[in-house]
Amino acid sequence: MEPSGWKTISSERHFANAHVDVVTDCVQTPSRAKPRTWTIVHRKAAVIIAPMTRDGKLLLIKQERVPIRDSIWEMPAGQIDNGETDESAINQVALRELREETGYELAPDGELIELGRYFSSPGFTDEFGYLFFARPIERSAHGNAHDETESILDCRAFTIDEIRTMIAENRIRDANTLGICARLAARGFISLAPR
């Protein structure tokens, strides 16, 4: 079902695998009389988790990212498989990704706070992420269980001041982490203001 005023005239698939589907759509938009053609990468939705320890530090993972040929610090995240769309299933995916990527889990007295959704790069993909704040977290008795496709090199807790400095010095560079930090600050959970 398309939003009001939007109509797909045609769609041509160029490539598809388990992770992406690349199409060129001809679309009538609400603001243009003439249809537009646009190449789009369809991707599964994702979860992004900001895990906070009891002492107020945020966990980041350092992960090798092949497309950028670099290792970067980022919040744990993962795709939602099997078309899970109900709130409970999405929350469980967030908790699973937290445990798998960091070796931590939500403490028995902890809370998983939904922070909304965002689009990672709407100029070329419809991918969006569900943002979560998990606090407090504690080490899992089961440890981590990295997926074989991931290259997680490190997991470390950082103070909010360290996070702020890493953002300012361009050491945190991925949209997921920048987006969730902005949402945490806007909601008053952390302050990114210089001291």
Side-chain angles (χ1 to χ4, degrees):
M1 184 97 172
E2 295 191 287
S4 178
W6 293 83
K7 181 179 179 188
T8 302
I9 308 299
S10 65
S11 186
E12 178 186 357
R13 176 181 270 170
H14 303 290
F15 174 82
N17 68 18
H19 305 286
V20 297
D21 189 6
V22 181
V23 301
T24 298
D25 286 350
C26 181
V27 178
Q28 177 72 55
T29 75
S31 66
R32 294 178 179 255
K34 185 177 178 183
R36 316 178 65 170
T37 300
W38 208 267
T39 300
I40 303 162
V41 177
H42 296 294
R43 257 178 79 81
K44 298 175 190 173
V47 294
I48 301 93
I49 309 99
M52 183 176 272
T53 61
R54 283 197 192 278
D55 60 356
K57 294 179 179 178
L58 288 172
L59 279 188
L60 296 178
I61 58 172
K62 188 170 192 176
Q63 187 164 195
E64 283 183 334
R65 293 297 192 177
V66 172
I68 63 170
R69 307 296 199 267
D70 203 355
S71 301
I72 59 175
W73 287 103
E74 57 191 68
M75 295 288 179
Q79 287 188 321
I80 299 171
D81 293 321
N82 305 323
E84 296 161 326
T85 57
D86 72 71
E87 183 179 328
S88 175
I90 293 167
N91 290 355
Q92 289 308 306
V93 172
L95 294 172
R96 183 189 72 225
E97 289 294 332
L98 170 64
R99 187 181 62 258
E100 287 178 0
E101 294 197 351
T102 69
Y104 283 75
E105 61 191 8
L106 199 60
D109 63 337
E111 58 184 334
L112 184 67
I113 301 168
E114 296 177 29
L115 300 174
R117 291 176 17 178
Y118 90 111
F119 293 98
S120 60
S121 191
F124 83 96
T125 181
D126 60 353
E127 178 187 36
F128 64 90
Y130 293 93
L131 304 174
F132 291 94
F133 183 33
R135 71 171 181 190
I137 55 159
E138 62 187 18
R139 286 199 183 276
S140 171
H142 307 290
N144 58 31
H146 298 162
D147 184 287
E148 63 200 35
T149 64
E150 297 171 322
S151 296
I152 297 174
L153 306 174
D154 197 2
C155 176
R156 199 172 336 154
F158 294 89
T159 66
I160 303 306
D161 285 339
E162 289 171 321
I163 299 279
R164 180 184 315 106
T165 299
M166 292 168 77
I167 292 171
E169 294 176 352
N170 200 38
R171 289 187 285 143
I172 291 179
R173 299 173 283 160
D174 74 292
N176 286 344
T177 304
L178 293 170
I180 202 167
C181 285
R183 190 69 55 94
L184 287 168
R187 295 273 302 266
F189 292 116
I190 65 172
S191 173
L192 294 175
R195 294 186 187 223

